[in-house]
Amino acid sequence: MGEFAISGLNLGEAHAAAARTLRQAGGETPELDARLLLCHAAGLSHEDYVAGLHGALEPDAAARLGVFIERRLAGEPVSRILGVREFYGRSFRIDAGTLDPRPDTETLIEAALAMIGREGLRERPLNLLDLGTGSGCILITLLAELPTARGVGIDISLPALALARSNAQSLGVGASFVAGDWLDAIEGVFDLVVANPPYLSLADMAGLATEVSAHDPRGALDGGPDGLLAYRRIAPQIRKVLRPGGTALFEIGSGQAQAVLRLLAEAGLAVEAGKWLWRDLAGRPRVVGARA
Ligand SMILES: C[S@@+](CC[C@H](N)C(=O)[O-])C[C@H]1O[C@@H](n2cnc3c(N)ncnc32)[C@H](O)[C@@H]1O
């Protein structure tokens, strides 16, 4: 038996016990984590949980909760245990083959929608390309927000593509997902190219927390010695897939803004310093862009 075992408790008591265990282990959000894991174990929505706080926790649900708490105590992120991550207000399934989408990546969505809105393109039949689509969170979100747009997601990982297809179907979004090594096999012309490529340097990879290194696929994180490998591959090929006047937006890692903007400028794209940089909620440069 592991450290956490409960039986004979109602939902409210089970929540308190789970939260206490997670808090004692140093968890940053023990109440929230406990509620999410309890609801998942008992198959309850948040509303069912609030309405049924005094109801009994069935033995099989208690056993599942015990296993989930043990996994959390061993450092597995809650989203991995749930197999679901909320991104820009929608639920995306995640699995071992995909990066767990990060809130920072919502900056890329905000940048794209702001640019499209500002230029009066919201109702246009825009053609979007998402490089390194992973769970599909970026492309599917943009297509859900822009009902007249269509789009293609590329990834080198077949398991990621399978999951992206399933997420698109669950969310009722029509999108194509294609296997490829960045832009090598891409044909067609796009209005907007978006990418959140792997951008961690060798030093970043060496310093990763176990929560990340043990659960996110290495191929979704590793950007080569200085973290810029994927941008160096992608930048020189962008113009062949962007229509004249089309835009490319890239998520970037810490301290990479100037280097990536330089790669885009060297590839013949128009870069306006200041205008083509967006910050995340912590105020760090998170997205850069350029225009064909
Ligand atoms: C940082 S993850 C981004 C996943 C998703 N777009 C997101 O924002 O959560 C990078 C993705 O790029 C994919 N990738 C890595 N190398 C690639 C390559 N050479 N060609 C295409 N995709 C690649 C990985 O499989 C992974 O899904």
Side-chain angles (χ1 to χ4, degrees):
M1 183 65 70
E3 290 173 47
F4 182 78
I6 50 168
S7 61
L9 301 184
N10 69 29
L11 287 174
E13 292 163 344
H15 175 261
R20 192 166 50 246
T21 302
L22 295 176
R23 193 179 315 108
Q24 283 164 356
E28 286 177 12
T29 52
E31 307 283 331
L32 174 64
D33 291 1
R35 178 169 58 73
L36 292 171
L37 295 175
L38 173 58
C39 286
H40 189 49
L44 296 173
S45 67
H46 177 59
E47 292 71 25
D48 293 340
Y49 165 72
V50 172
L53 275 177
H54 299 293
L57 180 65
E58 298 300 328
D60 56 343
R64 275 195 295 277
L65 178 61
V67 172
F68 293 162
I69 297 290
E70 297 299 339
R71 285 169 63 182
R72 182 70 197 114
L73 291 174
E76 189 169 347
V78 170
S79 52
R80 291 273 172 206
I81 300 172
L82 304 180
V84 173
R85 163 68 76 177
E86 290 292 310
F87 182 81
Y88 211 76
R90 295 179 183 84
S91 292
F92 287 82
R93 281 211 306 120
I94 55 170
D95 65 16
T98 47
L99 185 87
D100 183 356
R102 305 299 205 270
D104 287 340
T105 300
E106 294 181 347
T107 309
L108 182 53
I109 303 292
E110 297 283 4
L113 294 178
M115 188 270 296
I116 287 167
R118 196 172 50 241
E119 300 189 359
L121 303 174
R122 276 198 86 93
E123 316 299 327
R124 298 278 181 83
L126 298 175
N127 199 14
L128 316 184
L129 176 63
D130 177 21
L131 300 172
T133 199
S135 63
C137 61
I138 298 173
L139 180 66
I140 294 168
T141 301
L142 288 175
L143 292 177
E145 297 288 327
L146 301 166
T148 52
R150 63 204 152 96
V152 180
I154 301 293
D155 210 289
I156 202 161
S157 155
L158 297 182
L161 290 166
L163 195 75
R165 284 189 193 102
S166 137
N167 277 326
Q169 195 175 20
S170 310
L171 291 164
V173 167
S176 309
F177 292 99
V178 178
D181 186 359
W182 297 133
L183 287 158
D184 283 359
I186 293 293
E187 292 186 357
V189 178
F190 298 85
D191 301 284
L192 173 66
V193 177
V194 288
N196 175 19
Y199 54 62
L200 298 187
S201 67
L202 212 57
D204 295 332
M205 292 294 293
L208 279 180
T210 317
E211 286 212 357
V212 178
S213 61
H215 299 287
D216 283 307
R218 189 179 178 89
L221 301 171
D222 187 353
D226 64 355
L228 298 172
L229 204 60
Y231 304 102
R232 281 197 198 92
R233 286 275 316 278
I234 296 168
Q237 295 193 64
I238 283 278
R239 280 179 72 198
K240 82 170 188 191
V241 297
L242 264 187
R243 74 161 169 78
T247 302
L249 295 174
F250 293 88
E251 179 166 326
I252 51 160
S254 172
Q256 293 176 335
Q258 294 316 318
V260 175
L261 284 168
R262 197 173 324 117
L263 286 171
L264 294 169
E266 283 167 8
L269 292 155
V271 171
E272 288 178 55
K275 190 172 167 197
W276 291 103
L277 189 149
W278 290 263
R279 292 173 187 274
D280 60 25
L281 288 176
R284 290 173 300 233
R286 181 58 63 189
V287 172
V288 295
R291 184 146 274 183

